Amino acid sequence: MSKFITSDGKEIYVYDNILGFSNRQSLLRFLSISSFKPVGIDGPDENVRHHTSMMSSFSKSDVQNCKFLDYIPEEVREEHLISIDNLENCNVNLITPSDRFYVHTDSSGGSKKTLLYYPTPNWNVEFGGDSIFLDSNGKDIEFYCQYKTDRLVIFDSSIPHMVRPSTWLAPYYRLSLALKFK
């Protein structure tokens, strides 16, 4: 586990090899039958306004059925107060090189904590798709989180962040599981 503290004292935790091969494969099978739909993004500037990306929303029942929270070690769930009871929402994001993203926070719906999981197998650094965390003004990068297979990132939902699209070198889609907790 690695821990990063932003300039305004908010925490970002990174766990590698969190689920292991077998549990990750089970989760990927479940994610592969997701119903992805285009989602419009009404961004803050003309370059991203009305751009769509692909996302699948999961209900609490879906989260329970995919067993993702069960796969996370108990000590990690306890340390970060992660449970189905305080889950606000869950999305599976499908990222392509042509997607565009902007700086945002996840706290607008009342979320306190965001959990990102990177399940795509055999992901190399040159494929991109990383997460960038910025200062409280959303202007300067404070922490760069490389997309790595089987990586879990847990952070304060009020931290401005954004996704970098995958590169054209990526042989397949970059998936991420994003859960927000109250």
Side-chain angles (χ1 to χ4, degrees):
M1 186 268 298
S2 299
K3 178 179 172 182
F4 178 82
I5 300 176
T6 65
S7 59
D8 58 351
K10 296 175 181 168
E11 299 172 330
I12 302 168
Y13 295 84
V14 179
Y15 297 86
D16 286 328
N17 304 313
I18 194 76
L19 299 191
F21 181 80
S22 179
N23 290 338
R24 184 173 49 82
Q25 289 301 105
S26 295
L27 178 64
L28 279 167
R29 278 192 291 280
F30 191 90
L31 298 180
S32 72
I33 60 171
S34 295
S35 297
F36 289 97
K37 296 179 181 169
V39 177
I41 300 173
D42 291 326
D45 71 43
E46 294 297 321
N47 292 325
V48 295
R49 188 154 299 150
H50 308 296
H51 177 72
T52 57
S53 63
M54 300 299 285
M55 182 175 72
S56 179
S57 294
F58 275 20
S59 66
K60 281 189 178 186
S61 176
D62 292 331
V63 173
Q64 288 174 313
N65 289 336
C66 78
K67 298 185 181 347
F68 175 68
L69 294 178
D70 296 336
Y71 296 151
I72 297 173
E74 185 177 351
E75 62 272 12
V76 174
R77 290 193 316 261
E78 287 177 0
E79 178 179 350
H80 298 287
L81 305 174
I82 294 168
S83 76
I84 197 71
D85 297 329
N86 61 353
L87 178 68
E88 183 182 351
N89 68 46
C90 176
N91 297 308
V92 182
N93 301 300
L94 187 147
I95 308 298
T96 70
S98 62
D99 286 335
R100 293 174 282 176
F101 300 96
Y102 61 96
V103 176
H104 66 282
T105 68
D106 294 336
S107 58
S108 61
S111 296
K112 301 290 185 200
K113 190 170 298 193
T114 299
L115 184 152
L116 290 176
Y117 177 68
Y118 305 144
T120 307
N122 305 312
W123 197 263
N124 297 329
V125 67
E126 60 269 10
F127 298 163
D130 308 305
S131 299
I132 307 294
F133 295 88
L134 299 105
D135 64 11
S136 59
N137 296 317
K139 298 292 181 196
D140 293 315
I141 295 172
E142 288 202 355
F143 181 67
Y144 163 91
C145 187
Q146 180 182 340
Y147 186 105
K148 285 188 173 184
T149 303
D150 204 19
R151 173 170 273 182
L152 178 70
V153 184
I154 301 172
F155 59 95
D156 183 309
S157 296
S158 67
I159 299 173
H161 61 282
M162 68 179 286
V163 174
R164 296 284 184 168
S166 56
T167 68
W168 292 103
L169 296 174
Y172 31 73
Y173 301 120
R174 173 239 196 239
L175 294 174
S176 66
L177 191 60
L179 295 89
K180 297 169 192 135
F181 295 90
K182 296 177 187 177

